[in-house]
Amino acid sequence: MNIVAELKERFRPAVAPLVADPEALLDMIRPTQNVSFGDYQMNCAMPLEKRLGRPAQEIATDLVADLKIDDLCESPQVAGKGFINLKLRTSWIEQQLEEARRDERLGVLAVTAPQTIIVDFSSPNVAKPMHVGHIRSTVIGDAISRMLLFRGHRVIRDNHLGDWGTQFGMILYGMQNFSRQADYEENPVRELSRLYRLVRKLMDYHESTEKLPRRQMELQKCEATLTKAQAARNSHDPADKAGLKKTDKELRRIESQCREFRDEIRSLQDLLSAIDGDVTLSGLTQTHPDICDSVLRETALLHASDPARLERWREILPKCREDIQRTYDRLNIQFDVELGESFYHDRLDRVVKDLEARDLARKSDGATCVFLPDFEAPMIVRKRDGAFLYATTDLATIQYRMEMWQPDAILYVVDFRQGEHFDKLFAVARNWGYEQVHLQHIKFGTVLGDDGRPFKTRAGDSVGLEGLLDEAVTAAAKVVEENDLQKEAGPDFTPQERASIANIVGHAAIKYADLSQNRESDYVYQQEKMVAMKGNTATYMQYSFARIQNIFAKGLIDIQALRQDPHSKIRLLQPAERALGLQLLRFEQALDEALEDYRPHLMTEYLFDLAKNFSDFYNDCPVLRAEEQDERISRLLLCDLVGRTIGRGLELLGISVVDRM
Ligand code: ARG
């Protein structure tokens, strides 16, 4: 039951005759800030005042008179300027909870019109080890898929692996030039990743050498502009406040641009001097001056099905995938299909020809481009040298997915920095005839280190995901141990039990820390904080769940039996019971809100609020020591619903619970 959706439907017949576009008005039903006004508030009378030319209070009174809502609410009150206050009947809340407690799905209905939705997520480039950046797409995409599935949609989880790109050219080059056979035989993926990193460094060196003087020039220009702007600022008429504000804003923009150039120059210089200071590496930069071109050639040969390259690729790909699979297993991530970029290679030529035939693409400077009216630069679908691009593959992928699954929507859970790529991709796809399918880039921000910069190791590499998971489990083990040692009746876990709980808690911590952020924000990776027992953490949520199971264990309650017992009843007599009951009923709404624009943090917020409501209830209302038997049973049933809602909510986020903690 989505209460707000239900209230909306009740208001619809009253609001619809008044305006042509009732939706926006119906969206004005909100939970009240203050319980003394009731549970919900409908605020649409105020904006109607102007449109209808009548006082808002009068409109509100008329709306209330037309409302058929008796079964659900006590009689609605018009207050203040024209607010309509709604208080749900406690008996109605009880009745809904009765239904929820007997229902496997906690009263959440499946949608009546399920959609087919493809979720493109995780999608790492496989020849390099997974790093912290991959956590976001993987975890957010998984949570979105789980929530959509639970809501009743058909979901196809597709891991669009980068298994065909330049990184393979790098590895091929590395294998030819720097391979250590014995290391490769011992641990192929470690050796491949060493090769990848080595080649990356050498390429970075040459690219940075080229870039540095360009950036220095740009900085000089930027600083000159800044000096001019500062002079203009100083001679600006102080009385012209608006003008000054504008100038200041412009000044700040230029300053921040200069800062960006300076930062970039510093990091280019750091990179160069780190390599110059390393005798072996700097020697290699000398002996491999053309490495960037060579890597491109290797990639091109692979794409042209050169037998030696293709054979190598076929040999290393399964090894890379195995390595990635280990991480997925640890995180309990599954896909329905894993069609990497290589799968689409044979279709690319046809895609380009089709775009040309429809006059969507044309040659420009030797490259084949799709020009888009709303974009400065065209989308290149084939380079001058004949190579296809990331974008070409993405177009072929859309075509394939449409043929294969006729989806209603395709969601791409990818770093925000690819925003322009997806804007263009979607524009081209629409021109190409895929107008019906809803295409959406589910953007996310960056994982930052303590210094506010993208999370890196001291050596400047991005942090490996496996190592991070290990560290989180170790940190969780400490928390689990501390908690166990503090128990009144003494510790009750064996070392094995502690380890297995820490394993669940550690992995959950990383996921939850990520999911509890609005996906578009950057966040700072704080290991201590995310495994902590207190605060909005997975550990706290898991602890709340375990605490409830502990109540049942302590009271020797067979909760399954009680749940099914037809004579047991939920009664909401105390304010804390009613508040908890209402919060329990908001689960479906939280799910809908989290799915509206695919923001899992709205689910974590809901769960956190639920846990807080539960704490209040638990403080105010004795459960096992309740005075009367009816009361005790009712409270046990509430505890059970809270536990199941937390468990289900966490499951929808891909997080497991433990019965004891
Ligand atoms: N492999 C890409 C990367 O690591 C992400 C792919 C996202 N999905 C897509 N269909 N483009 O940047």
Side-chain angles (χ1 to χ4, degrees):
M1 158 69 56
N2 179 336
I3 301 175
V4 169
E6 180 64 28
L7 291 173
K8 233 168 141 173
E9 288 322 305
R10 302 297 179 102
F11 268 94
R12 190 182 298 278
V15 174
L18 302 179
V19 288
D21 52 341
E23 257 357 275
L25 292 170
L26 290 170
D27 279 340
M28 298 186 75
I29 301 173
R30 306 269 149 74
T32 49
Q33 299 294 332
N34 182 337
V35 279
S36 64
F37 297 135
D39 303 313
Y40 290 91
Q41 204 161 47
M42 170 51 142
N43 299 336
C44 73
M46 279 70 77
L48 277 174
E49 188 166 58
K50 258 218 182 105
R51 283 168 75 174
L52 302 181
R54 290 165 51 206
Q57 273 187 336
E58 199 182 299
I59 299 170
T61 310
D62 286 357
L63 283 174
V64 166
D66 283 351
L67 220 50
K68 291 199 179 42
I69 206 163
D70 258 7
D71 55 321
L72 194 75
C73 292
E74 290 170 18
S75 73
Q77 302 294 319
V78 176
K81 285 181 288 182
F83 300 101
I84 302 173
N85 291 335
L86 302 162
K87 183 162 192 226
L88 297 170
R89 287 186 189 282
T90 304
S91 58
W92 182 82
I93 302 178
E94 288 170 345
Q95 180 199 326
Q96 297 299 319
L97 292 173
E98 284 295 328
E99 278 170 33
R101 85 176 231 221
R102 294 199 163 78
D103 180 11
E104 192 49 43
R105 297 174 51 90
L106 296 159
V108 177
L109 297 175
V111 288
T112 42
Q115 297 201 328
T116 300
I117 300 173
I118 296 179
V119 187
D120 176 325
F121 73 102
S122 196
S123 310
N125 294 334
V126 298
K128 35 189 179 179
M130 279 175 98
H131 60 79
V132 63
H134 291 117
I135 190 84
R136 299 217 73 182
S137 174
T138 308
V139 165
I140 296 170
D142 181 54
I144 290 173
S145 305
R146 287 168 185 266
M147 291 193 286
L148 285 170
L149 272 169
F150 182 60
R151 204 67 180 97
H153 296 291
R154 277 188 294 271
V155 176
I156 294 144
R157 293 165 295 185
D158 188 357
N159 191 8
H160 187 76
L161 291 164
D163 60 0
W164 195 239
T166 322
Q167 76 271 27
F168 279 98
M170 291 162 69
I171 294 223
L172 290 172
Y173 186 87
M175 288 180 100
Q176 287 159 26
N177 292 279
F178 315 112
S179 187
R180 296 178 186 154
Q181 194 54 31
D183 289 352
Y184 180 71
E185 270 153 34
E186 196 192 311
N187 184 339
V189 176
R190 197 175 55 207
E191 170 63 1
L192 291 175
S193 110
R194 182 189 70 85
L195 289 173
Y196 172 82
R197 278 198 286 253
L198 174 59
V199 174
R200 179 75 269 162
K201 277 201 181 119
L202 300 179
M203 289 173 75
D204 281 348
Y205 184 87
H206 292 296
E207 282 167 7
S208 302
T209 316
E210 254 186 50
K211 236 191 225 165
L212 184 60
R214 279 211 307 271
R215 288 293 177 272
Q216 281 165 331
M217 286 256 292
E218 277 161 335
L219 175 62
Q220 258 178 23
K221 266 197 222 149
C222 194
E223 279 172 338
T225 319
L226 183 64
T227 315
K228 260 196 225 147
Q230 274 160 343
R233 164 72 174 79
N234 291 339
S235 57
H236 203 99
D237 173 8
D240 172 20
K241 289 264 152 47
L244 265 182
K245 215 170 151 194
K246 228 172 112 189
T247 324
D248 280 343
K249 200 171 154 203
E250 178 60 8
L251 210 56
R252 278 197 299 275
R253 193 190 60 79
I254 304 172
E255 272 166 1
S256 107
Q257 205 175 33
C258 286
R259 210 166 26 240
E260 269 171 37
F261 282 133
R262 257 179 246 123
D263 282 353
E264 195 186 343
I265 287 170
R266 190 162 344 107
S267 61
L268 290 173
Q269 283 166 335
D270 286 351
L271 188 145
L272 292 175
S273 61
I275 294 180
D276 285 333
D278 182 317
V279 195
T280 328
L281 271 181
S282 80
L284 290 177
T285 60
Q286 304 300 314
T287 44
H288 296 266
D290 302 320
I291 188 165
C292 296
D293 289 338
S294 310
V295 162
L296 279 184
R297 198 174 49 247
E298 286 303 317
T299 316
L301 282 167
L302 171 66
H303 290 176
S305 301
D306 171 73
R309 268 87 185 175
L310 207 54
E311 192 186 327
R312 264 285 154 84
W313 178 79
R314 289 207 176 106
E315 172 195 325
I316 56 186
L317 186 63
K319 298 188 168 54
C320 298
R321 286 180 80 139
E322 236 170 70
D323 195 55
I324 292 176
Q325 190 54 43
R326 244 202 345 266
T327 306
Y328 290 143
D329 289 344
R330 289 184 69 166
L331 290 172
N332 189 18
I333 305 289
Q334 284 96 29
F335 299 96
D336 301 297
V337 282
E338 289 190 278
L339 298 177
E341 294 176 9
S342 64
F343 175 80
Y344 297 98
H345 184 68
D346 292 341
R347 300 171 162 256
L348 303 183
D349 187 50
R350 260 178 292 148
V351 167
V352 174
K353 292 214 167 94
D354 191 52
L355 290 169
E356 282 178 316
R358 290 165 196 257
D359 270 342
L360 291 168
R362 61 182 160 84
K363 287 260 164 47
S364 164
D365 235 351
T368 313
C369 303
V370 182
F371 288 87
L372 294 157
D374 295 333
F375 295 89
E376 239 172 73
M379 172 187 259
I380 305 176
V381 288
R382 185 161 210 171
K383 286 201 266 190
R384 205 182 352 191
D385 64 8
F388 300 106
L389 294 97
Y390 182 52
T392 328
T393 307
D394 261 331
L395 285 169
T397 308
I398 292 179
Q399 185 183 51
Y400 178 82
R401 287 173 175 165
M402 293 307 293
E403 283 167 11
M404 195 66 188
W405 296 292
Q406 298 87 42
D408 299 288
I410 307 178
L411 310 177
Y412 297 81
V413 188
V414 185
D415 193 309
F416 78 100
R417 279 168 294 194
Q418 295 194 25
E420 189 176 325
H421 163 72
F422 285 109
D423 287 345
K424 282 186 184 171
L425 177 69
F426 299 162
V428 174
R430 278 190 284 272
N431 290 345
W432 200 18
Y434 299 113
E435 284 158 333
Q436 299 301 324
V437 60
H438 171 79
L439 302 169
Q440 188 175 344
H441 177 195
I442 313 293
K443 309 181 169 85
F444 54 80
T446 310
V447 184
L448 305 174
D450 286 336
D451 56 359
R453 292 167 185 256
F455 198 22
K456 294 264 160 85
T457 60
R458 253 173 244 129
D461 297 318
S462 43
V463 180
L465 195 47
E466 287 252 43
L468 220 52
L469 296 178
D470 290 341
E471 280 175 27
V473 171
T474 309
K478 254 175 58 195
V479 172
V480 171
E481 181 182 327
E482 268 164 30
N483 187 55
D484 196 29
L485 292 175
Q486 275 170 20
K487 285 177 187 158
E488 273 170 32
D492 70 337
F493 290 138
T494 64
Q496 288 83 352
E497 282 172 327
R498 275 189 201 163
S500 111
I501 296 170
N503 193 43
I504 294 176
V505 170
H507 288 99
I510 291 199
K511 287 187 173 187
Y512 194 94
D514 195 295
L515 293 169
S516 58
Q517 302 292 326
N518 190 339
R519 61 177 162 79
E520 277 173 275
S521 327
D522 298 341
Y523 73 92
V524 177
Y525 190 92
Q526 288 168 302
Q527 182 153 286
E528 292 278 300
K529 222 171 145 181
M530 66 199 205
V531 294
M533 257 326 173
K534 292 213 178 80
N536 188 10
T537 63
T539 320
Y540 172 66
M541 295 309 308
Q542 289 169 319
Y543 177 69
S544 307
F545 178 87
R547 190 158 74 154
I548 291 171
Q549 311 314 311
N550 190 37
I551 298 174
F552 303 147
K554 243 167 71 189
L556 300 173
I557 310 289
D558 180 352
I559 194 64
Q560 308 263 5
L562 189 61
R563 199 183 294 158
Q564 298 307 329
D565 178 2
H567 304 298
S568 62
K569 262 207 170 61
I570 294 178
R571 294 180 317 161
L572 307 173
L573 301 175
Q574 300 296 326
E577 290 175 317
R578 188 182 185 280
L580 179 62
L582 182 54
Q583 178 67 7
L584 279 167
L585 287 191
R586 287 181 168 148
F587 182 49
E588 182 172 317
Q589 189 193 333
L591 178 61
D592 285 346
E593 282 170 3
L595 283 175
E596 191 174 304
D597 194 28
Y598 307 106
R599 295 186 190 276
H601 80 282
L602 296 175
M603 178 53 82
T604 65
E605 273 174 16
Y606 165 79
L607 293 172
F608 188 48
D609 287 342
L610 175 63
K612 280 192 285 196
N613 276 120
F614 178 73
S615 260
D616 293 345
F617 155 84
Y618 199 59
N619 286 335
D620 289 3
C621 309
V623 178
L624 291 175
R625 282 193 223 123
E627 280 172 23
E628 286 172 44
Q629 182 64 0
D630 282 0
E631 202 173 48
R632 184 173 191 254
I633 288 179
S634 165
R635 288 176 184 171
L636 283 167
L637 288 171
L638 276 176
C639 289
D640 181 40
L641 263 177
V642 174
R644 288 170 62 206
T645 307
I646 291 178
R648 175 69 81 166
L650 289 178
E651 181 196 313
L652 295 181
L653 298 171
I655 292 172
S656 312
V657 288
V658 286
D659 284 340
R660 299 194 304 148
M661 222 165 122

